[in-house]
Amino acid sequence: MEVFDFYRKDRWPHVFCPGCGNGTVMNCFYRAFNELGWNLDNTVFVSGIGCSSRIPLYINADALHTTHGRAVAFASGLKLARPELDIVVFTGDGDLGAIGGNHFINGCRRNIDMDVICINNNIYGMTGGQASITTPHDFQSTTTPYGNREYPFDLAEIAVAAGANYVARWTTRHVHELTKSIKIALEKKGFNLIEVVSQCPTNFGRRNKMGDASIMLEWFKENSVRREKARSAAVDHVDLNLAGQVTIGEFVNRDRECYQERIGVEKHGEKH
Amino acid sequence: MKPVVDLKYCKGCNICIYMCPKKCYSKGVDISPRGYFAAVVSEPQNCYNHKREGKLICELCVLSCPDQAISWHPEGEETK
Amino acid sequence: MSLTPGEYFLQGNEACVEAALVSGLNFFAGYPITPSTEIAEGLARRLPEVGGAFLQMEDEIACVSAIIGASWGGVKSMTATSGPGLSLMQEAIGYAAMSETPMVIANVMRGGPSTGQPTRASQGDVMATKWGSHGDYQVIAFAPASVQEMFDLTIKAFNYAEKYRVPTFVLSDAEIGHMRGLLNVPSNIKIVNRKEKGVRRTDEAYDVPDDLVPPFPTFGKGNKAAVTGMTHGPDSRIEPEDPKIHQELVSRLNDKITKNRRDINKWDLLCPDSKHMIISYGSASFGAREVAAEDDRIGLLRLKTIWPLPEEPIREAASKAEHILVCEMNMGQLYHDIKRVALEAGCKKIELLPKIGGEPPTPGEVRHKLREMGAI
Ligand SMILES: Cc1ncc(C[n+]2csc(CCOP(=O)(O)OP(=O)(O)O)c2C)c(N)n1
Ligand code: SF4
Ligand code: SF4
Ligand code: SF4
Ligand SMILES: [Mg+2]
């Protein structure tokens, strides 16, 4: 499948700003999907609201672009109604972790089969750069003009604690690793989260002396620490700037039975 | 193979320049039809995939380009 | 298996459960709330028996979200709730209206505002049902007044949700939900299934013009449907900035319901040509029904559909009546709309018997009010 078999070419170029990490995540997803030889007609892309949540509308497949924060809930119903379809959720840090936080943790807990790609740009991109639940401490945003007084969430660690089957976090500077993790997630049953720390040069970078996408990528590179090598317990390396680093790598890879298997609506045997 | 930047899609973010370990790309000096300083593949011969067929390696530029603007073409192919 | 034809003695909420199954319900998402909980409990037990799925969600926002997702998978889906849950559902209800998603919400009303009277009946959600989400949209709502109607109108709700691709409500209350009564399940129940994209149908259920209700592009069938709550053109491309596309879309979403009132509106009439008409619906009509049955000077127009408002029978009744009394279990919600229609039809005296607190107006209260109005 060529790139523009995968995407809706008539909608190109997409709306994302120059240098926005969303497009990079799309590349890695397409690459993983294509290498697995998956079928677009059997996959539904679900999202909430935000720049990152626009991605499904660009893919040449069924897309459910929903309300802010609720993508996982929409996807849960869809999966139970049509267990034979593969569900991929594209979401953002605000969408998944703030307004959708309850659906997120309960989605992990239920372990309904879906792959959630959360593009964590540490900001509310679409609404113009307000602080999100992952904005690093002390950083600038339009709603934290004196620096962020709060501390960020660690979405990946939350997903592990809440029961997701597979959790990995990479940055847009780690395209090969990210592609590999997406492949693993696609092939795995249960609730899988891939968190991608990504750049929003327009609304995060510019306000934090990183207006250039490349500077942000360099920042990710400098501050990323492999999970095996991370300093100490989870609480110590929560997110960018809590301990001054992003922990990257696989956080968990386990095989809890997924919900639709337990309730017996699993109609498809093998996954592709 | 050589990478080619599609002027219809490039938004001049320069991520390819930053990502390429072989310095194949450089900043654009002309404004593209879409109004951006589109990146230029100035040193395609430096690329790991120069004269390579079949499975390509590296591809950091293609995987990173947020605008799906970079694609692979045979060395001999005329591209503008 | 769903209920076979015959007589049953059931609770209102149980009748709703069975009607949903007869209608072909395949997915239910719920969150417990009095006085609707029996619907969730019933379906948790019954749905797996018929090969469907039940999911208890983390809140009511998730419930509506999940049933919309399921509906796009091509199955019939439903949730049940009461006032506080309805408040949480509103954003997603607007999404369902905008994305034209068939689905059913059973709202077993209780006294509000806020937590109010969890166990007592009310009709306080009538306006919230129609106007609760932002923007201009339409829904369909039925108001059953017996166990039998809980069954019949739940089936209608599913049928109309499918036919018009619209969120459809069964607006009962604690009184109807919890009452026990006789249910007669007939043998020839008409079930409407979705008009799917790419599937031609000759079914008479689809006499709505195609341009008002587009066929449904079920997921997983190669339709490449792009479903969104943003303003979109007929090709589903999002066009949030285009005034014309927005006007066309939102007008059609409204027209497909309001222009088909005749098909959707259901009502019951006692003494149609009476000079003194009571207009009521749901359990608020109990007292009025008794009064009208005993006193042939008094007529009763009982609305079974409340949204879209059955303007035609109201106009008809108002053109002949000197007095109209509206009985509602709220402080006057449908009253204002009914009054508007009745005034236009030439009736001068339109009064309200509002009853809140949890009990339907009694026949004595109805008579008292009619006397006050000089009707009897
Ligand atoms: C209920 C609701 N509240 C607020 C908004 C406004 N809103 C739109 S996008 C957004 C933030 C999105 O942030 P994120 O999920 O991180 O996505 P990003 O744009 O950063 O990719 C907000 C608050 C909305 N659409 N709906
Ligand atoms: S605002 Fe930020 S997240 Fe949104 S498209 Fe622009 S760069 Fe990307
Ligand atoms: S493939 Fe690697 S070496 Fe070749 S141009 Fe792209 S980034 Fe540079
Ligand atoms: S990464 Fe892509 S969009 Fe950015 S400058 Fe290079 S070719 Fe252009
Ligand atoms: Mg964000």
Side-chain angles (χ1 to χ4, degrees), chain A residues 22 50-52 91-95 118-126 130 132 134 200:
Chain A
N22 289 346
C51 296
S52 36
T91 177
D93 46 325
D95 198 61
C118 176
I119 302 183
N120 173 7
N121 54 12
N122 308 93
I123 202 79
Y124 285 176
M126 173 143 277
Q130 300 74 26
S132 94
T134 55
C200 168

Side-chain angles (χ1 to χ4, degrees), chain A residues 15-22 50-52 121 123-129 199-204:
Chain A
V15 291
F16 306 133
C17 308
C20 172
N22 289 346
C51 296
S52 36
N121 54 12
I123 202 79
Y124 285 176
M126 173 143 277
T127 43
Q199 74 277 16
C200 168
T202 309
N203 282 318
F204 180 84

Side-chain angles (χ1 to χ4, degrees), chain C residues 231 242-255:
Chain C
T231 293
D242 189 321
K244 187 159 168 280
I245 288 180
H246 187 78
Q247 281 160 13
E248 282 172 5
L249 172 65
V250 176
S251 304
R252 183 178 59 73
L253 296 184
N254 284 272
D255 287 350

